[in-house]
PDB file of all heavy atoms in Angstrom:
ATOM      1  N   GLU A   2    -105.988 106.614 121.414  1.00 70.00           N
ATOM      2  CA  GLU A   2    -104.758 105.941 121.787  1.00 70.00           C
ATOM      3  C   GLU A   2    -103.814 107.002 122.290  1.00 70.00           C
ATOM      4  O   GLU A   2    -103.664 108.028 121.793  1.00 70.00           O
ATOM      5  CB  GLU A   2    -104.198 105.152 120.653  1.00 70.00           C
ATOM      6  CG  GLU A   2    -105.015 104.052 120.184  1.00 70.00           C
ATOM      7  CD  GLU A   2    -104.340 103.293 119.018  1.00 70.00           C
ATOM      8  OE1 GLU A   2    -103.139 103.361 118.913  1.00 70.00           O
ATOM      9  OE2 GLU A   2    -105.081 102.770 118.268  1.00 70.00           O
ATOM     10  N   TYR A   4     -99.861 108.296 123.114  1.00 85.00           N
ATOM     11  CA  TYR A   4     -98.611 108.314 122.366  1.00 85.00           C
ATOM     12  C   TYR A   4     -97.707 107.323 123.064  1.00 85.00           C
ATOM     13  O   TYR A   4     -96.916 106.695 122.363  1.00 85.00           O
ATOM     14  CB  TYR A   4     -98.064 109.727 122.408  1.00 85.00           C
ATOM     15  CG  TYR A   4     -96.892 109.835 121.473  1.00 85.00           C
ATOM     16  CD1 TYR A   4     -97.056 109.808 120.089  1.00 85.00           C
ATOM     17  CD2 TYR A   4     -95.618 110.131 121.973  1.00 85.00           C
ATOM     18  CE1 TYR A   4     -96.078 109.975 119.271  1.00 85.00           C
ATOM     19  CE2 TYR A   4     -94.519 110.282 121.082  1.00 85.00           C
ATOM     20  CZ  TYR A   4     -94.754 110.164 119.714  1.00 85.00           C
ATOM     21  OH  TYR A   4     -93.691 110.416 118.943  1.00 85.00           O
ATOM     22  N   LEU A  10     -95.730  99.827 121.869  1.00 87.00           N
ATOM     23  CA  LEU A  10     -96.028  98.846 120.770  1.00 87.00           C
ATOM     24  C   LEU A  10     -94.973  98.830 119.742  1.00 87.00           C
ATOM     25  O   LEU A  10     -94.575  97.822 119.163  1.00 87.00           O
ATOM     26  CB  LEU A  10     -97.421  99.073 120.250  1.00 87.00           C
ATOM     27  CG  LEU A  10     -98.534  98.803 121.084  1.00 87.00           C
ATOM     28  CD1 LEU A  10     -99.880  99.156 120.452  1.00 87.00           C
ATOM     29  CD2 LEU A  10     -98.524  97.303 121.455  1.00 87.00           C
ATOM     30  N   ALA A  16     -90.373  93.571 116.377  1.00 91.00           N
ATOM     31  CA  ALA A  16     -89.474  92.439 116.594  1.00 91.00           C
ATOM     32  C   ALA A  16     -90.204  91.113 116.773  1.00 91.00           C
ATOM     33  O   ALA A  16     -89.871  90.102 116.269  1.00 91.00           O
ATOM     34  CB  ALA A  16     -88.597  92.779 117.814  1.00 91.00           C
ATOM     35  N   ALA A  17     -91.290  91.172 117.500  1.00 92.00           N
ATOM     36  CA  ALA A  17     -92.011  89.958 117.664  1.00 92.00           C
ATOM     37  C   ALA A  17     -92.686  89.450 116.335  1.00 92.00           C
ATOM     38  O   ALA A  17     -92.673  88.155 116.118  1.00 92.00           O
ATOM     39  CB  ALA A  17     -93.187  90.185 118.735  1.00 92.00           C
ATOM     40  N   PHE A  22     -93.018  85.539 112.011  1.00 89.00           N
ATOM     41  CA  PHE A  22     -92.994  85.185 110.558  1.00 89.00           C
ATOM     42  C   PHE A  22     -91.764  84.297 110.192  1.00 89.00           C
ATOM     43  O   PHE A  22     -91.917  83.574 109.273  1.00 89.00           O
ATOM     44  CB  PHE A  22     -93.050  86.482 109.653  1.00 89.00           C
ATOM     45  CG  PHE A  22     -94.362  87.163 109.716  1.00 89.00           C
ATOM     46  CD1 PHE A  22     -94.413  88.580 109.793  1.00 89.00           C
ATOM     47  CD2 PHE A  22     -95.541  86.462 109.738  1.00 89.00           C
ATOM     48  CE1 PHE A  22     -95.673  89.295 109.765  1.00 89.00           C
ATOM     49  CE2 PHE A  22     -96.810  87.200 109.753  1.00 89.00           C
ATOM     50  CZ  PHE A  22     -96.786  88.510 109.783  1.00 89.00           C
ATOM     51  N   LEU A  35     -92.177  90.633 105.306  1.00 90.00           N
ATOM     52  CA  LEU A  35     -93.583  90.576 105.670  1.00 90.00           C
ATOM     53  C   LEU A  35     -93.914  91.647 106.732  1.00 90.00           C
ATOM     54  O   LEU A  35     -94.926  92.413 106.693  1.00 90.00           O
ATOM     55  CB  LEU A  35     -94.068  89.189 106.048  1.00 90.00           C
ATOM     56  CG  LEU A  35     -94.096  88.182 105.025  1.00 90.00           C
ATOM     57  CD1 LEU A  35     -94.431  86.768 105.686  1.00 90.00           C
ATOM     58  CD2 LEU A  35     -95.199  88.536 104.045  1.00 90.00           C
ATOM     59  N   LEU A  39     -96.248  95.126 106.525  1.00 86.00           N
ATOM     60  CA  LEU A  39     -97.319  95.402 107.526  1.00 86.00           C
ATOM     61  C   LEU A  39     -97.131  96.779 108.037  1.00 86.00           C
ATOM     62  O   LEU A  39     -98.125  97.591 108.196  1.00 86.00           O
ATOM     63  CB  LEU A  39     -97.388  94.418 108.628  1.00 86.00           C
ATOM     64  CG  LEU A  39     -98.034  93.079 108.315  1.00 86.00           C
ATOM     65  CD1 LEU A  39     -97.833  92.241 109.566  1.00 86.00           C
ATOM     66  CD2 LEU A  39     -99.558  93.301 108.120  1.00 86.00           C
ATOM     67  N   TYR A  48    -101.668 105.359 110.785  1.00 75.00           N
ATOM     68  CA  TYR A  48    -101.567 105.048 112.197  1.00 75.00           C
ATOM     69  C   TYR A  48    -100.262 105.425 112.875  1.00 75.00           C
ATOM     70  O   TYR A  48    -100.078 105.595 114.015  1.00 75.00           O
ATOM     71  CB  TYR A  48    -101.698 103.539 112.414  1.00 75.00           C
ATOM     72  CG  TYR A  48    -103.069 102.981 112.150  1.00 75.00           C
ATOM     73  CD1 TYR A  48    -103.280 102.212 111.050  1.00 75.00           C
ATOM     74  CD2 TYR A  48    -104.202 103.341 112.820  1.00 75.00           C
ATOM     75  CE1 TYR A  48    -104.525 101.693 110.716  1.00 75.00           C
ATOM     76  CE2 TYR A  48    -105.423 102.905 112.593  1.00 75.00           C
ATOM     77  CZ  TYR A  48    -105.605 102.117 111.522  1.00 75.00           C
ATOM     78  OH  TYR A  48    -106.814 101.656 111.255  1.00 75.00           O
ATOM     79  N   HIS A  50     -97.445 108.626 112.826  1.00 78.00           N
ATOM     80  CA  HIS A  50     -97.363 110.007 112.369  1.00 78.00           C
ATOM     81  C   HIS A  50     -96.042 110.697 112.553  1.00 78.00           C
ATOM     82  O   HIS A  50     -95.765 111.650 111.921  1.00 78.00           O
ATOM     83  CB  HIS A  50     -98.387 110.823 113.099  1.00 78.00           C
ATOM     84  CG  HIS A  50     -99.799 110.391 112.873  1.00 78.00           C
ATOM     85  ND1 HIS A  50    -100.469 110.502 111.858  1.00 78.00           N
ATOM     86  CD2 HIS A  50    -100.600 109.738 113.759  1.00 78.00           C
ATOM     87  CE1 HIS A  50    -101.726 109.932 111.830  1.00 78.00           C
ATOM     88  NE2 HIS A  50    -101.861 109.514 113.065  1.00 78.00           N
ATOM     89  N   TRP A  52     -91.624 110.865 113.182  1.00 87.00           N
ATOM     90  CA  TRP A  52     -90.353 110.245 112.821  1.00 87.00           C
ATOM     91  C   TRP A  52     -89.805 109.399 114.002  1.00 87.00           C
ATOM     92  O   TRP A  52     -89.108 108.464 113.827  1.00 87.00           O
ATOM     93  CB  TRP A  52     -89.287 111.307 112.376  1.00 87.00           C
ATOM     94  CG  TRP A  52     -89.595 111.705 111.005  1.00 87.00           C
ATOM     95  CD1 TRP A  52     -90.231 112.900 110.557  1.00 87.00           C
ATOM     96  CD2 TRP A  52     -89.274 111.099 109.842  1.00 87.00           C
ATOM     97  NE1 TRP A  52     -90.277 112.958 109.282  1.00 87.00           N
ATOM     98  CE2 TRP A  52     -89.663 111.845 108.731  1.00 87.00           C
ATOM     99  CE3 TRP A  52     -88.658 109.872 109.536  1.00 87.00           C
ATOM    100  CZ2 TRP A  52     -89.545 111.395 107.400  1.00 87.00           C
ATOM    101  CZ3 TRP A  52     -88.480 109.406 108.266  1.00 87.00           C
ATOM    102  CH2 TRP A  52     -89.017 110.206 107.199  1.00 87.00           C
ATOM    103  N   LEU A  60     -85.628 100.461 114.598  1.00 92.00           N
ATOM    104  CA  LEU A  60     -84.827  99.780 115.614  1.00 92.00           C
ATOM    105  C   LEU A  60     -85.267  98.332 116.034  1.00 92.00           C
ATOM    106  O   LEU A  60     -84.607  97.382 116.130  1.00 92.00           O
ATOM    107  CB  LEU A  60     -84.604 100.655 116.897  1.00 92.00           C
ATOM    108  CG  LEU A  60     -83.870 100.084 118.090  1.00 92.00           C
ATOM    109  CD1 LEU A  60     -82.397  99.963 117.641  1.00 92.00           C
ATOM    110  CD2 LEU A  60     -84.070 100.985 119.187  1.00 92.00           C
ATOM    111  N   SER A  61     -86.615  98.290 116.183  1.00 91.00           N
ATOM    112  CA  SER A  61     -87.227  97.014 116.695  1.00 91.00           C
ATOM    113  C   SER A  61     -87.152  95.990 115.529  1.00 91.00           C
ATOM    114  O   SER A  61     -86.889  94.826 115.783  1.00 91.00           O
ATOM    115  CB  SER A  61     -88.699  97.288 117.032  1.00 91.00           C
ATOM    116  OG  SER A  61     -89.294  96.056 117.452  1.00 91.00           O
ATOM    117  N   LEU A  62     -87.295  96.487 114.317  1.00 89.00           N
ATOM    118  CA  LEU A  62     -87.175  95.530 113.149  1.00 89.00           C
ATOM    119  C   LEU A  62     -85.719  94.954 113.081  1.00 89.00           C
ATOM    120  O   LEU A  62     -85.507  93.764 112.818  1.00 89.00           O
ATOM    121  CB  LEU A  62     -87.333  96.285 111.802  1.00 89.00           C
ATOM    122  CG  LEU A  62     -88.776  96.452 111.423  1.00 89.00           C
ATOM    123  CD1 LEU A  62     -88.976  97.336 110.268  1.00 89.00           C
ATOM    124  CD2 LEU A  62     -89.513  95.125 111.106  1.00 89.00           C
ATOM    125  N   ARG A  73     -82.407  80.997 113.764  1.00 83.00           N
ATOM    126  CA  ARG A  73     -82.163  80.046 112.676  1.00 83.00           C
ATOM    127  C   ARG A  73     -80.803  79.391 112.732  1.00 83.00           C
ATOM    128  O   ARG A  73     -80.711  78.196 112.384  1.00 83.00           O
ATOM    129  CB  ARG A  73     -82.288  80.865 111.307  1.00 83.00           C
ATOM    130  CG  ARG A  73     -83.617  81.356 110.981  1.00 83.00           C
ATOM    131  CD  ARG A  73     -84.562  80.266 110.330  1.00 83.00           C
ATOM    132  NE  ARG A  73     -83.940  79.874 109.070  1.00 83.00           N
ATOM    133  CZ  ARG A  73     -83.984  78.698 108.594  1.00 83.00           C
ATOM    134  NH1 ARG A  73     -84.633  77.713 109.277  1.00 83.00           N
ATOM    135  NH2 ARG A  73     -83.324  78.342 107.452  1.00 83.00           N
ATOM    136  N   GLN A  74     -79.771  80.094 113.033  1.00 84.00           N
ATOM    137  CA  GLN A  74     -78.482  79.488 113.192  1.00 84.00           C
ATOM    138  C   GLN A  74     -78.526  78.344 114.305  1.00 84.00           C
ATOM    139  O   GLN A  74     -77.929  77.273 114.033  1.00 84.00           O
ATOM    140  CB  GLN A  74     -77.398  80.538 113.623  1.00 84.00           C
ATOM    141  CG  GLN A  74     -77.056  81.390 112.455  1.00 84.00           C
ATOM    142  CD  GLN A  74     -76.032  82.493 112.888  1.00 84.00           C
ATOM    143  OE1 GLN A  74     -75.788  82.705 114.078  1.00 84.00           O
ATOM    144  NE2 GLN A  74     -75.420  83.230 111.898  1.00 84.00           N
ATOM    145  N   ARG A  75     -79.076  78.674 115.500  1.00 83.00           N
ATOM    146  CA  ARG A  75     -79.092  77.617 116.467  1.00 83.00           C
ATOM    147  C   ARG A  75     -79.827  76.412 116.079  1.00 83.00           C
ATOM    148  O   ARG A  75     -79.618  75.309 116.384  1.00 83.00           O
ATOM    149  CB  ARG A  75     -79.791  78.263 117.776  1.00 83.00           C
ATOM    150  CG  ARG A  75     -78.826  79.141 118.508  1.00 83.00           C
ATOM    151  CD  ARG A  75     -79.379  79.429 119.882  1.00 83.00           C
ATOM    152  NE  ARG A  75     -80.726  79.847 119.743  1.00 83.00           N
ATOM    153  CZ  ARG A  75     -81.218  81.011 120.233  1.00 83.00           C
ATOM    154  NH1 ARG A  75     -80.442  81.913 120.746  1.00 83.00           N
ATOM    155  NH2 ARG A  75     -82.505  81.333 120.045  1.00 83.00           N
ATOM    156  N   GLN A  80     -79.812  70.761 114.287  1.00 77.00           N
ATOM    157  CA  GLN A  80     -80.148  69.731 113.408  1.00 77.00           C
ATOM    158  C   GLN A  80     -78.887  69.000 112.871  1.00 77.00           C
ATOM    159  O   GLN A  80     -78.933  67.767 112.662  1.00 77.00           O
ATOM    160  CB  GLN A  80     -80.882  70.328 112.169  1.00 77.00           C
ATOM    161  CG  GLN A  80     -82.280  70.760 112.555  1.00 77.00           C
ATOM    162  CD  GLN A  80     -82.906  71.439 111.362  1.00 77.00           C
ATOM    163  OE1 GLN A  80     -82.381  71.728 110.361  1.00 77.00           O
ATOM    164  NE2 GLN A  80     -84.314  71.781 111.523  1.00 77.00           N
ATOM    165  N   PRO A  84     -78.908  64.623 113.843  1.00 68.00           N
ATOM    166  CA  PRO A  84     -79.821  64.176 112.789  1.00 68.00           C
ATOM    167  C   PRO A  84     -80.718  63.016 113.132  1.00 68.00           C
ATOM    168  O   PRO A  84     -80.262  62.074 113.753  1.00 68.00           O
ATOM    169  CB  PRO A  84     -78.829  63.858 111.695  1.00 68.00           C
ATOM    170  CG  PRO A  84     -77.562  63.470 112.451  1.00 68.00           C
ATOM    171  CD  PRO A  84     -77.617  64.216 113.734  1.00 68.00           C
ATOM    172  N   GLU A  85     -81.924  63.077 112.653  1.00 63.00           N
ATOM    173  CA  GLU A  85     -82.829  61.992 113.019  1.00 63.00           C
ATOM    174  C   GLU A  85     -83.420  61.370 111.751  1.00 63.00           C
ATOM    175  O   GLU A  85     -83.751  61.822 110.764  1.00 63.00           O
ATOM    176  CB  GLU A  85     -84.043  62.477 113.853  1.00 63.00           C
ATOM    177  CG  GLU A  85     -83.504  62.835 115.214  1.00 63.00           C
ATOM    178  CD  GLU A  85     -84.658  63.362 116.190  1.00 63.00           C
ATOM    179  OE1 GLU A  85     -85.811  63.027 115.845  1.00 63.00           O
ATOM    180  OE2 GLU A  85     -84.397  64.057 117.085  1.00 63.00           O
TER     181      GLU A  85
END
Side-chain angles (χ1 to χ4, degrees):
E2 294 181 25
Y4 193 68
L10 288 175
F22 288 144
L35 288 173
L39 281 175
Y48 293 113
H50 300 292
W52 283 102
L60 176 67
S61 181
L62 281 170
R73 290 276 297 144
Q74 286 177 349
R75 283 192 313 241
Q80 289 174 351
E85 291 181 23

